[in-house]
Amino acid sequence: MTDSFHGTTILALRHKGKVIVAGDGQVTLGSTITKHKARKVRRIYNEKIITGFAGATADALHLAEKLEQKLERYNGNLTRASVELAREWRTDKYLRRLEAMMIAADETNTYLLSGNGDVIEPDHGVISIGSGSVGAHAAAFALMNHTELEPRKIVEEAMAIAASLCVYTNTNITIEEI
């Protein structure tokens, strides 16, 4: 039996005209932390789109490359590229076996993409994936609706809360902002 890699928390927030995507840096193999500062949030397509991934790193990077190819094909249209990637991911025999999820955001859209063919746009400007996603999502939603904090501070606090609750999430946070 082989251990599998676990963890991560990716959080995206669209609030007060800003888009913030954050991810923690922890990679865990079984019960051992193997990396503390992994970069799971990146900019693609001429720095205009932010992606964050959870799951197997090689799978997620492959999906990011596929998304960037779709963005090139559809002139940076994130909606069209996301739908086409999700369709291909769901129907392609090789891609279907990939174990990852992705959040992608640009100036106007935020999507969660999955191998089930999902392209989910959040109703209230918050979406998250990964092992600490429930804590991060709940914290961000509460802070967004019950405080006057700036969006970046909301994300920082929500990620800190997720890290305090989830053993697969740490406080080495990468944040990208549009």
Side-chain angles (χ1 to χ4, degrees):
M1 180 175 173
T2 61
D3 286 329
S4 61
F5 285 93
H6 289 286
T8 234
T9 300
I10 304 295
L11 173 65
L13 175 72
R14 184 175 295 277
H15 185 56
K16 295 183 180 178
K18 295 187 178 180
V19 179
I20 315 282
V21 181
D24 79 302
Q26 183 168 302
V27 176
T28 308
L29 178 58
S31 61
T32 304
I33 298 169
T34 58
K35 188 166 179 77
H36 297 279
K37 296 181 181 180
R39 186 168 174 81
K40 303 168 193 171
V41 174
R42 295 186 162 87
R43 287 181 175 267
I44 62 171
Y45 192 72
N46 303 317
E47 308 288 311
K48 295 179 182 178
I49 294 174
I50 302 169
T51 61
F53 63 84
T57 303
D59 291 355
L61 292 175
H62 182 73
L63 290 169
E65 288 174 10
K66 294 293 262 179
L67 178 60
E68 192 150 24
Q69 290 170 1
K70 302 289 184 194
L71 288 163
E72 293 290 339
R73 181 173 181 189
Y74 297 111
N75 299 315
N77 183 325
L78 181 59
T79 302
R80 180 76 188 271
S82 296
V83 169
E84 292 301 322
L85 175 62
R87 180 178 302 152
E88 184 177 350
W89 191 354
R90 182 175 170 80
T91 59
D92 183 271
K93 191 175 186 176
Y94 169 75
L95 291 178
R96 260 196 324 250
R97 295 193 336 241
L98 297 181
E99 295 180 14
M101 294 182 81
M102 178 186 298
I103 289 176
D106 65 9
E107 288 183 347
T108 55
N109 302 293
T110 303
Y111 298 115
L112 181 153
L113 307 172
S114 83
N116 295 329
D118 297 321
V119 179
I120 300 169
E121 185 172 22
D123 288 334
H124 304 290
V126 181
I127 199 151
S128 60
I129 56 176
S131 58
S133 66
V134 173
H137 190 122
F141 189 77
L143 291 167
M144 181 176 75
N145 289 297
H146 299 289
T147 70
E148 294 301 318
L149 293 174
E150 288 302 309
R152 185 179 182 101
K153 187 66 175 166
I154 290 171
V155 167
E156 290 170 351
E157 293 295 324
M159 291 297 290
I161 290 168
S164 74
L165 298 172
C166 176
V167 298
Y168 298 116
T169 302
N170 71 13
T171 57
N172 292 316
I173 307 299
T174 301
I175 297 177
E176 292 287 346
E177 183 174 339
I178 298 175

